[in-house]
Amino acid sequence: MALVGFELLFQSIRDQLRSNDDAAIAVVHWNLISKGLKCCGTGDTWPNTQSENNTGDEALPLGWNQDNSIYTLRYLDPASNGTYLMKALAMDGSLILHLVRCFDEKTVSMTIQSRDYVTDSRESMARSYRALSVLNNQLDKELYGKMINTKSRAARSSTSDTTASSSKRHSSSQDPPERSPPMFDPPRRPGSYDPFNIGGADLDPFGRGGGMFMDPRNFPQAPRGIMPQPQPGFPLGSVPPGARFDPVGPPGVRPQPDPDHERRPSEYDDMFM
């Protein structure tokens, strides 16, 4: 099926067609025109002023196929004021196409075989082309259509990243701050006693209270109804129940005999005896 409006373009340039590549470039040009672009001339340099018909046209410009080995056409998108550059290199029956978006130099490329779609006849559009719709669909997917889809994906990705970042910040502002668990067990109430934790404070350099060292302020209390037995030389209640150690005190108060104060045998001269 023929492209709408392409037959008029073909009739206007039929006498200018000198090769199969020329005929194929005419299809590429019309594919871009059908997407809303306007052709603004040949060459890869845009004018600094607006005097050179920068509003664009649907027709191919004068001298578009002057060099039959390389084609360079400029296009304008009136909707966005974006500019594009289409370059095609003819080589051994192939056309290597490049479409460049000028503001960011984004480029898409494809290759077509002119002889697969163009015949040697120029009598009419129908006789000059074969599989014209196939070529047009291929251009839609791999040239301008690919350029637009890439731009849309980038925009969607940017929007998605912005939304995710905003959602994360909102969620962080709503969530209460996490509290770190205490490094050590909280202190027990005064007067409590755990017989299985005696000496545990020796392993805790930041703990409160003594460990293996006796602290008269934290001695465990004897069960009610049982009076602790007094120890010579110590106030009542200052020795925990069941404690075993060598009593100390002034002479005469210690329990007798006191091995540490016995005279050593005269035949031993040992300071450690």
Side-chain angles (χ1 to χ4, degrees), residues 159-201:
T159 302
S160 176
D161 292 345
T162 302
T163 302
S165 178
S166 176
S167 176
K168 184 177 181 180
R169 290 195 300 268
H170 179 72
S171 176
S172 299
S173 64
Q174 296 296 327
D175 294 339
E178 296 183 359
R179 295 183 178 180
S180 301
M183 294 180 62
F184 307 102
D185 293 336
R188 298 181 177 85
R189 61 181 180 81
S192 63
Y193 170 60
D194 183 3
F196 297 100
N197 199 32
I198 295 177

Side-chain angles (χ1 to χ4, degrees), residues 39-43 45-56 61 74:
C39 187
C40 296
T42 61
T45 303
W46 286 81
N48 295 326
T49 63
Q50 299 294 325
S51 59
E52 190 187 330
N53 189 26
N54 279 343
T55 57
R74 301 194 309 272

Side-chain angles (χ1 to χ4, degrees), residues 18-19 21-22 25 63-71 88-91 94-95:
R18 298 178 297 178
S19 66
D21 291 334
D22 284 359
I25 287 296
W64 64 274
N65 61 344
Q66 183 176 359
D67 185 349
N68 60 3
S69 63
I70 185 169
Y71 305 83
L89 178 64
M91 182 180 298
S94 299
L95 273 177

